[in-house]
Amino acid sequence: EALHVDDNAPRWKPCSLRVHRQFYKDWWSSQVKEVTQILRKLPVLFYNGADDFICNFAGTDSWLRSMEWEYQEDFRRARRNPWKVDGETKGFMKRADNLRFLVVFNAGHMVPMDQSVVALEMFRSFIYGDMQ
């Protein structure tokens, strides 16, 4: 109700085969060009759950470090800094210019389901531009 979703809209479910099929072709094509173009103009957040074995954070970090863009060296040299919610360390973040990469502790592939309060703060701070 608060989101004003049409009553006739399909019910939400964590995994949708219909959505999966629509994005399947993108699995096999590089998105580096698109990401680097977006990074020139807008902040971008990549995140992983630390316990995700499907899309693990080491792979995301490797992809981001190898992506050729203006601030590539800055990102490669960036430290993993503790990321806190309500004073408690809930993950670590690397950042360079418009790129932020967050790894959320005690979360797997579905970070918002595993760590809902932490995920809400992640989205809130990113959207409002005060992500530390």
Side-chain angles (χ1 to χ4, degrees), residues 8-118:
N8 297 319
R11 305 256 328 139
W12 180 87
K13 52 187 170 181
C15 293
S16 166
L17 195 53
R18 180 178 176 197
V19 172
H20 174 82
R21 280 192 214 118
Q22 292 297 314
F23 285 99
Y24 185 75
K25 64 183 168 109
D26 289 338
W27 286 14
W28 311 113
S29 61
S30 175
Q31 302 301 311
V32 170
K33 181 179 176 185
E34 290 79 1
V35 171
T36 57
Q37 287 176 346
I38 294 168
L39 280 168
R40 288 187 194 116
K41 297 180 181 181
L42 298 169
V44 175
L45 169 65
F46 283 86
Y47 68 92
N48 289 90
D51 303 327
D52 186 348
F53 66 92
I54 297 168
C55 301
N56 63 71
F57 73 88
T60 303
D61 188 51
S62 177
W63 185 80
L64 292 171
R65 284 185 291 112
S66 68
M67 180 176 64
E68 293 182 15
W69 63 301
E70 186 177 356
Y71 296 95
Q72 179 183 23
E73 283 306 314
D74 293 343
F75 184 77
R76 285 181 177 169
R77 287 193 299 266
R79 292 181 171 260
R80 293 177 175 172
N81 293 309
W83 185 72
K84 297 183 178 197
V85 175
D86 296 328
E88 291 185 38
T89 300
K90 297 296 184 176
F92 63 80
M93 183 167 46
K94 289 175 63 172
R95 62 186 297 174
D97 192 56
N98 276 341
L99 177 61
R100 284 121 179 96
F101 174 44
L102 178 63
V103 176
V104 178
F105 296 155
N106 300 312
H109 191 63
M110 306 293 264
V111 171
M113 292 179 75
D114 296 336
Q115 291 288 339
S116 58
V117 171
V118 173

Side-chain angles (χ1 to χ4, degrees), residues 111-130:
V111 171
M113 292 179 75
D114 296 336
Q115 291 288 339
S116 58
V117 171
V118 173
L120 181 61
E121 176 56 20
M122 173 184 71
F123 293 128
R124 188 211 60 77
S125 64
F126 179 71
I127 290 168
Y128 287 101
D130 60 3

